[in-house]
Amino acid sequence: MSDNQSWNSSGSEEDVEPRDESGHLIGIVDLSGVLSKWTNYIHGWQDRWVVLKNNTLSYYKSQDETEYGCRGSLCLSKAVITPHEFDECRLDISVNDSVWYLRAQDPEHRHQWIDSIELHRSIREGRREKGGIQGTIFISPPLVRLLADSGYGSESSLRRHGSMLSLTSATSGFSATSTSSFKGHSLKEKLAEMETFRDILCRQVDTLQKYFDGCSDAVSKDELQRDKIVEDDEDDFPNTRTDGEFLHNNNGSKEKLFQSLSPKGINGIDFKGEAITFKATTAGILATLSHCIDLMVKREDSWQKRLDKEMEKRRRIEEGYKSALKELKIKSHFGGPDYEEGPNSLINEDEFFDAVEAALDRQDKIEEQSHTEKTRIQRSSPVPPGDVYSTTGTHRFSDKVEEMVQNHMTYSLQDVGGDANWQLVVEEGEMKVYRREVEENGIVLDPLKATHSVKGVTGHEVCHYFWDTAYRNDWETTIENFNVVENLSENAAIVYQTHKRVWPASQRDVLYLSAMRKILANNENDPDTWLVCNFSVDHDDAQPSNRCVRAKINIGMICQTLVSPPEGDKEISRDNILCKITYVANVNPGGWAPASVLRAVAKREYPKFLKRFTSYVQEKTAGKPILF
């Protein structure tokens, strides 16, 4: 390769990436396998077939669907691979605002994927650097050697003094690196470089001066020799032309004796004086430049302050840009797994509460639209005779049900008005809601108690609609689906239900035994008590899963019917009956939801539930025979 070729602007030949017959990059091993990918907060983690090939990461729904095309891909050239801090099986891959959350089956597979991805990136990046455009262009070495051979300094000295200039590539643009490089070249260094050029110019002037002196001496010698020849041979010339340029020799030939000279010929120029003037002019120019440089050195402090000020302004702008970009990424990734309920959640309590409240508001609007349609649906469920609810029945949980019923009758009906441990949190007409704050291992376990009075319905009717699963979806708005796992008796069943997901909280499910009882009064003047108790149990057909957080409950709905005598001989109507309701709830939600959020949601949702349910019972029983 010639010198001209070796010092071109690119600095290298065109880089061609080696590929095999199938088009794969040589030296890079492809990888494929099953990884769990975070889809969205509804479906969570889903298994996907992921392929790493040609510096690109692609995923398919399954290995069988690869022939139909990928569902998404990422170019790894500018990707950022982040192993998760706490989850040893998870890795996050981000390109600008696009983020893939992936989980391997074990830490070893995660390391294998990370190593393969980094290998693809490093090999591709190395080839790009090897074949890219160089950032520096140099003066050709032959030019340096030419200056050295001409006597203007050795090649090493010219390199040392900076004569071998470099130009920053225009493609680099303005950056912090180029700015720091500019600051590295002080004016003193530039002055030293000017001194180098001055030495070169002085040597050039000296050489020219010697040349001019030699020319002057040669002309003087030629004039003396010519005058001598003319005097000695003047008589030998047969004929002299008027121009005095030619003479005839004896052999008949004519030769040129000297050049014709004009008045402004060599003899008319003072070569030495001109050289001195040239040298003096050059020195004056250099002296002026040195003076200018001195002035620039004095102004350097002022310029440096201005530069520092501009750099500080640039730094603030860059920080603002990075901050805005970070906020934008957080908003774009807000639905990711790091921003949902969990031990390492990045969402704070205020954002958590705002998101939950917004989701609950949306659910309320949906329920309002469908409420009218639900009340129009006529469902008939046979009502067992009253004596069915007088006994617990015979099944494996009979003793536990009897224990729960007695606890509710003993403690749940106690007045809490004078108990300082109970706090009145909501009071709306006849309804009052009390709460006692209890926490265990950071989990909110606040017992809740509500009292309410509803006209026109009986305790039997309220408990019937609360216990019978045929009507559950009509009034319970938080349930996504439920099913009866086992019927224990006519008045007891084991029920499994999952509640609707309220992002960013995790979805929850509950498995509980629901039993309905009638407790006869000891005194004929006291009303009978109807009771539904729901408490958590375990069952082989409904084991906990990773999809939901299993909540534990102990709930009691206790109702008593008060009848006012009708006027005269009139029959008892719904205007003469009043149902006093006591609702108690002890819920362990599990999970990692903030305590303040759980308490705020309970304060909001429990009164709404009680009003919604009692209104539903009033609508369903209106115009129907009274069920005592």
Side-chain angles (χ1 to χ4, degrees), residues 571-584:
E571 294 183 356
I572 297 176
S573 66
R574 294 194 175 274
D575 295 333
N576 302 119
I577 57 178
L578 177 71
C579 180
K580 296 189 66 175
I581 300 174
T582 300
Y583 179 81
V584 292

Side-chain angles (χ1 to χ4, degrees), residues 36-48 59 71 99 101 335-337:
S36 295
K37 183 178 182 297
W38 176 264
T39 54
N40 51 54
Y41 71 87
I42 296 178
H43 299 97
W45 297 97
Q46 298 291 332
D47 288 343
R48 295 290 183 260
Y59 81 92
R71 295 199 167 197
V99 181
Y101 305 101

Side-chain angles (χ1 to χ4, degrees), residues 354-585:
D354 292 341
V356 169
E357 188 175 41
L360 292 175
D361 288 340
R362 289 193 297 270
Q363 288 187 7
D364 289 344
K365 290 182 180 180
I366 296 174
E367 288 301 324
E368 288 177 3
Q369 296 174 357
S370 60
H371 175 70
T372 304
E373 297 179 1
K374 288 182 178 181
T375 55
R376 290 175 180 174
I377 298 175
Q378 299 295 326
R379 290 188 176 90
S380 60
S381 178
V383 180
D387 55 358
V388 171
Y389 302 107
S390 300
T391 59
T392 303
T394 56
H395 50 80
R396 63 182 183 279
F397 291 102
S398 299
D399 295 340
K400 186 65 176 178
V401 171
E402 187 64 28
E403 178 186 350
M404 288 294 180
V405 169
Q406 295 303 321
N407 287 337
H408 283 303
M409 293 300 297
T410 303
Y411 301 107
S412 300
L413 293 177
Q414 292 180 353
D415 187 15
V416 298
D419 193 341
N421 293 325
W422 289 92
Q423 302 174 8
L424 179 63
V425 293
V426 176
E427 183 174 6
E428 296 180 10
E430 296 292 332
M431 182 177 61
K432 295 180 181 180
V433 180
Y434 301 87
R435 181 181 65 200
R436 189 173 73 238
E437 293 189 358
V438 176
E439 287 191 28
E440 182 177 327
N441 296 327
I443 300 178
V444 175
L445 305 175
D446 296 351
L448 216 117
K449 186 173 185 177
T451 60
H452 195 23
S453 297
V454 183
K455 292 183 178 181
V457 296
T458 66
H460 188 179
E461 292 170 334
V462 172
C463 288
H464 170 68
Y465 286 104
F466 185 74
W467 178 79
D468 197 335
T469 56
Y471 304 98
R472 185 67 53 84
N473 281 330
D474 290 351
W475 56 267
E476 180 59 274
T477 61
T478 65
I479 291 180
E480 183 176 85
N481 56 66
F482 74 95
N483 64 286
V484 178
V485 178
E486 181 181 357
N487 283 308
L488 299 175
S489 64
E490 290 185 335
N491 64 339
I494 296 177
V495 180
Y496 171 77
Q497 64 188 31
T498 58
H499 292 265
K500 295 177 181 177
R501 172 77 184 276
V502 181
W503 188 87
S506 300
Q507 188 172 22
R508 282 166 167 78
D509 62 0
V510 60
L511 178 68
Y512 62 94
L513 188 153
S514 182
M516 181 173 172
R517 288 289 306 279
K518 177 182 179 181
I519 309 299
L520 299 176
N522 296 327
N523 189 339
E524 61 180 8
N525 294 325
D526 295 332
D528 295 337
T529 301
W530 287 86
L531 182 147
V532 175
C533 61
N534 298 336
F535 57 92
S536 294
V537 294
D538 295 325
H539 199 281
D540 293 338
D541 294 339
Q543 297 291 336
S545 65
N546 294 330
R547 181 171 176 267
C548 298
V549 175
R550 179 63 58 89
K552 302 294 184 180
I553 65 171
N554 183 9
I555 294 173
M557 175 75 77
I558 308 166
C559 302
Q560 293 178 330
T561 305
L562 303 180
V563 181
S564 60
E567 297 180 357
D569 296 333
K570 293 181 179 180
E571 294 183 356
I572 297 176
S573 66
R574 294 194 175 274
D575 295 333
N576 302 119
I577 57 178
L578 177 71
C579 180
K580 296 189 66 175
I581 300 174
T582 300
Y583 179 81
V584 292

Side-chain angles (χ1 to χ4, degrees), residues 282-323:
T282 306
I285 292 173
L286 292 176
T288 303
L289 289 175
S290 298
H291 180 66
C292 292
I293 291 175
D294 291 338
L295 295 177
M296 292 170 66
V297 170
K298 295 179 181 179
R299 295 289 303 276
E300 185 177 12
D301 292 339
S302 174
W303 292 345
Q304 186 65 45
K305 291 180 181 179
R306 292 175 60 183
L307 179 61
D308 292 341
K309 185 177 181 180
E310 292 297 325
M311 292 299 298
E312 178 64 21
K313 185 186 297 183
R314 175 184 174 85
R315 185 187 63 81
R316 290 197 299 265
I317 293 175
E318 288 180 346
E319 289 180 353
Y321 170 76
K322 291 179 180 179
S323 178

